[in-house]
Structure formats: C-alpha cells, structure tokens
C-alpha cells in the first residue's frame, strides 16, 4: 500500500480498497459506490439553483458544499452531490468524495492532493479521460470551500 | 447476412434499412443463432447496472482505443476482442447504447473500419428499450469464445486524418459539435481543467449541424424527409459530394457519419476522428471563429 500520512483516513481506506482488487473488480466496487450516493437533503433537492453543475464531467453532476461553523482547522465540510442513475460512473466518483471527505475540516479538504483520483488505480478500468471528471469534482469542491470560507 | 433484416416500414425509405433494427425486432430475435448484441455507452458502468439479456459490453475507451497511441486497436487486438465477445466474422452484430446511440454509432464505425459486414444499430438505443419497459439483466454475459480472423483496419475509406482534411478543404465539411463550440465561444473557463485544445472555432467552410438534430424526441432517427431537410437543404450536401464530418474526438461525428452513409446514402463520407482536439491544437491550420462557416483560405 502507498503510505501517505497526509491523506485523511477515509480517503486512504477507499484508495487501498480499490488497489487491493483486480481491474474488473474495481469497476464493481465503483458501481457499489454509485449505489451508495445519498439522496440530496430536501433543502437542496427543492432548490436546484443552489447546486453547481460540473461541466467537465461527461454526464451532468451537480454539487453543493456547506461548511459548519468554525472549529479547529476551520469548520466541517459537507459535500452534497447528485447525478442521474444513467451516469453510474459519475455517481460513483461523487460518492467516493462524499464518503471520503465526510467529517473533514476545511483545511483537511483543501489539503487533499489534487491527484487523489489518479491514485485509485481506476485509470485502466475506467480510462484517464473519465477520471478527469472526478478530478474536476474535487477541484470544484475545493473551490466552493474556499469561496464559502473567504472572510 | 446471418439474421434476417428488419423490414419495418419506418426504415424502408432509408438508403440502407438493413443497418437498423427496431426494439420489437430485437426482442423477437434475441438469442437467435448468429446474432450478437453489443452495448456501447458513454458511461463505462451503465452496462453493469442492467443490460439487454445476452448483450456483451464493448467500451470505447478501454476496448476500442489503443492505450498508448492515439489510435484504434489493430487487427490482432480487434480479433482478440471480438473472439472474447463471442462474435464471428459472419455474425450479425446489433449495437445499442446510451445518449441516442452516440457511442453505439462510434463502435459501429470502428467495426466498419475492420470491414465487419453486418453491423446494425438498435434504433432508439437504451432509452427506447427502457421507455418501453423492456427487461434488463445484471448478469454479465459469458459468450463462448470464437475465432475471429485477424483483419487489418482500412483507414482509407471511412476515416480522415488531419492532412486529408487539409487536402479536402473546398469540399463539404460538417461540424457536428454544439453551436458554442462551433463559434468558438466555449473555451475553458477559469478553474476548469484544460481539456487540451489550444484554439477555439471551426474548420473554415464547415457547416454547423449539431449531431443530435438527426434524432427525434424518442431517441430514434428522424424520418428521411426530415433528415433531407437538415443535411441536403440545410447544410447543402449533394449526391456525389466528398464529405468529412468531425466533432471533438470523432464520437459524435460517427453518429452523423452513420446518418449520412447509411440513412441518406452518401457514398463518400469520412469521419475525422482527430477532430477538434487535434485541429484546435495543430500549428498553422486555418481556423474560423463565429457563427459563419467562413471561406477556405487560398492555398
């Protein structure tokens, strides 16, 4: 396993889980993630205008970030995402980030390496072009976190 | 042809009705000897969420593209892939997929580069099959391997490269991207990852006909008269024309290639798969910005 003391535990676990599998099983795990993407909280489901579309993803995916009140290292980040059931890959990418970033502080989210999506061992099973969609999701999440915490 | 063609009246006016099958036809012929159903989607996981019983998956990135060079797989690779998928050289292959068969058409075009004779599209694709409440299975098909022969790809007839397009200038070009990509409004916005194209706009003289114009609301191809209105009356294409279609990486233009070749019967249509991701980054190739096609530059 790749050792990286900086990477938050949940993200590291997800990465290690993927890397422990054969290529075709990695797709299956991504499918499981896609099925675990939580429904949007009602306040966002009723307000599509609050969601931001991530254009780089081949299929439409919308995200919204909110940040709890300040604590050590900044408030806690909550990522919400939605994508249609016809886009399971995109849903899987979003679900990985929703689960991997859960409970992290602003600083921890901003410190997640931008190349995290490339470390999951999915480039062969999914293709590098598609992985870019996940990199874009991570980039958008960080940007919203920055915007929402700018004094 | 191994399996009988679909004689549905809605296909008979097309130049090559044998290239389409209806959902009814497919439901009736599923499991028949000589028929292999292939699903090809934009989303690499969609097949796993449920697919037509017995269908095999062919993914455009991971199966049809060479992982190293920007090219398609070679004859040996294609033979290996099709053998694994249970396809013989004389199999009737019916391809369907998501997004109005966008990727299915791309797969069909690649199969055609290898001269696979009988390859058809399911009119309406996944969306129509689903809308009609037809069954899916999540069981991955495990076809008996075949011995598909090694046939080298022929890139001369159906495929255009950048130099071919330069030489082609003055003949009809169809840009099938969105109007914003055509006019050059869409470049990469701040904080977006760079997609890899350095210039925006279109190839001089190209007519803008977004690919999905060929598709009706229910995902099936529009009838012949409407297609004629779009491509002949609208884009000015005439019988006997040499035509090149392009988009961003050659996927959407495969769909238009299918329409022009198999539905409208144009004989010399090539797909420029390098498309905008190549042209928009190439040095010193002419580019026009804005909504007008623009003139072909003097050579």
């Amino acid at each position: 396993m790749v050792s990286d003391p900086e990477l938050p535990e949940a993200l590291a676990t997800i990465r290690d889980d993927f890397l422990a599998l054969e290529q075709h099983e990695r797709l299956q795990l991504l499918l499981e993630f896609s099925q675990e993407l939580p429904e949007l909280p009602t306040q966002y489901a009723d307000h599509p205008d609050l969601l931001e579309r991530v254009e780089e993803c081949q299929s439409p995916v919308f995200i919204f970030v909110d940040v709890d009140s300040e604590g050590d290292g900044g408030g806690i980040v909550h990522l919400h995402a939605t994508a249609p059931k016809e886009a399971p890959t995109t849903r899987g990418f979003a679900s990985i980030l929703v689960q991997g970033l859960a409970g992290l502080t602003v600083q921890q989210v901003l410190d997640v390496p931008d190349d995290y999506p490339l470390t999951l061992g999915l480039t062969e099973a999914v293709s590098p072009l598609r992985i870019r969609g996940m990199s874009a999701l991570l980039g958008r999440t960080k940007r919203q976190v920055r915007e929402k915490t700018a004094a | 042809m191994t399996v009988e063609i679909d004689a549905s009246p809605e296909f008979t006016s097309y130049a090559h009705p044998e290239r389409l099958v209806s959902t009814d036809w497919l439901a009736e012929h599923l499991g028949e000897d000589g028929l292999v159903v292939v699903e090809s989607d934009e989303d690499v996981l969609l097949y796993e969420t449920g697919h037509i019983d017995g269908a095999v998956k062919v993914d455009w990135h991971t199966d049809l593209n060479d992982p190293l060079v920007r090219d398609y797989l070679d004859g040996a690779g294609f033979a290996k892939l099709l053998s694994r998928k249970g396809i013989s050289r004389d199999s009737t292959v019916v391809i369907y997929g998501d997004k109005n068969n966008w990727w299915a058409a791309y797969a069909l075009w690649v199969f055609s580069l290898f001269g696979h004779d009988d390859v058809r599209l399911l009119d309406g694709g996944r969306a129509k099959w689903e809308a009609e409440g037809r069954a899916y299975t999540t069981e991955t098909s495990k076809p008996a391997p075949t011995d598909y022969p090694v046939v080298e790809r022929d890139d001369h007839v159906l495929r255009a490269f950048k130099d071919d397009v330069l030489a082609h200038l003055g003949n009809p070009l169809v840009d099938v991207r969105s109007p914003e990509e055509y006019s050059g409004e869409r470049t990469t916005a701040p904080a977006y990852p760079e997609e890899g194209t350095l210039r925006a706009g279109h190839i001089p003289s190209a007519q803008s006909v977004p690919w999905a114009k060929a598709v009706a609301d229910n995902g099936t191809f529009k009838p012949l008269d409407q297609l004629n209105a779009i491509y002949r009356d609208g884009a000015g294409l005439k019988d006997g024309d040499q035509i090149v279609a392009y988009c961003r990486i050659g996927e959407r233009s495969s769909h238009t290639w299918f329409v022009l070749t198999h539905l409208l019967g144009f004989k010399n249509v090539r797909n420029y798969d390098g498309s905008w991701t190549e042209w928009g980054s190439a040095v010193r190739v002419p580019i026009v910005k804005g909504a007008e096609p623009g003139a072909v530059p003097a050579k």
Side-chain angles (χ1 to χ4, degrees), chain B residues 165 168-183 201-213 228-238 241-247 253 256 260 266 276 288 290-296:
Chain B
V165 177
H168 173 89
L169 287 178
N171 292 290
L173 277 158
V174 184
D175 184 317
V176 315
R177 300 172 300 159
S178 63
E180 293 78 16
E181 289 170 280
Y182 179 84
S183 66
H202 57 265
I203 301 176
S205 82
Q207 292 287 322
S208 170
V209 188
W211 69 282
K213 280 196 172 181
N228 276 331
I230 295 165
Y231 293 99
R232 292 181 194 270
D233 309 343
L237 301 178
K238 296 185 301 293
D241 278 349
Q242 305 273 336
I243 303 164
V244 169
Y246 72 93
C247 57
S253 45
T256 297
L260 296 178
F266 287 100
W276 199 256
V288 171
E292 294 303 318
V296 172

Side-chain angles (χ1 to χ4, degrees), chain A residues 1-150:
Chain A
M1 298 298 138
V2 189
S3 109
D4 183 356
E6 299 294 313
L7 196 63
E9 198 184 336
L11 288 171
T13 303
I14 292 169
R15 179 197 60 198
D16 294 347
D17 286 349
F18 272 108
L19 293 180
L21 297 172
E22 300 287 331
Q23 289 293 340
H24 68 278
E25 295 171 330
R26 292 178 193 179
L27 267 190
Q28 211 54 44
L29 180 57
L30 186 61
L31 182 65
E32 285 166 27
F33 271 103
S34 79
Q35 290 156 350
E36 292 165 7
L37 183 66
E39 294 287 320
L40 283 181
T42 40
Q43 70 265 36
Y44 302 126
D46 297 343
H47 281 279
D49 50 300
L50 291 174
L51 298 165
E52 172 179 336
R53 179 170 178 162
V54 181
E55 299 280 357
E56 300 84 354
C57 287
Q58 292 181 330
S59 297
V61 51
F62 295 85
I63 63 164
F64 186 82
V65 173
D66 64 34
V67 179
D68 286 351
S69 53
E70 290 291 312
D72 285 343
I76 301 293
V77 173
H78 300 276
L79 168 64
H80 309 285
T82 181
K85 70 172 176 48
E86 295 79 19
T89 302
T90 303
R91 288 179 64 87
F93 290 162
S95 178
I96 287 170
L97 290 181
V98 167
Q99 293 186 31
L101 301 180
L104 298 189
T105 64
V106 165
Q107 197 54 52
Q108 284 174 314
V109 170
L110 294 178
D111 287 345
V112 172
D114 291 331
D115 68 352
Y116 175 75
L118 295 172
T119 66
L120 298 176
L122 280 168
T123 41
E124 195 180 313
V126 169
S127 92
L129 193 70
R130 287 177 172 128
I131 290 288
R132 274 194 213 162
M134 185 167 172
S135 304
L137 268 177
L138 179 60
R140 288 300 190 97
T141 302
K142 289 187 181 188
R143 208 200 65 220
Q144 282 204 19
V145 168
R146 275 188 214 101
E147 285 171 5
K148 282 180 181 154
T149 53

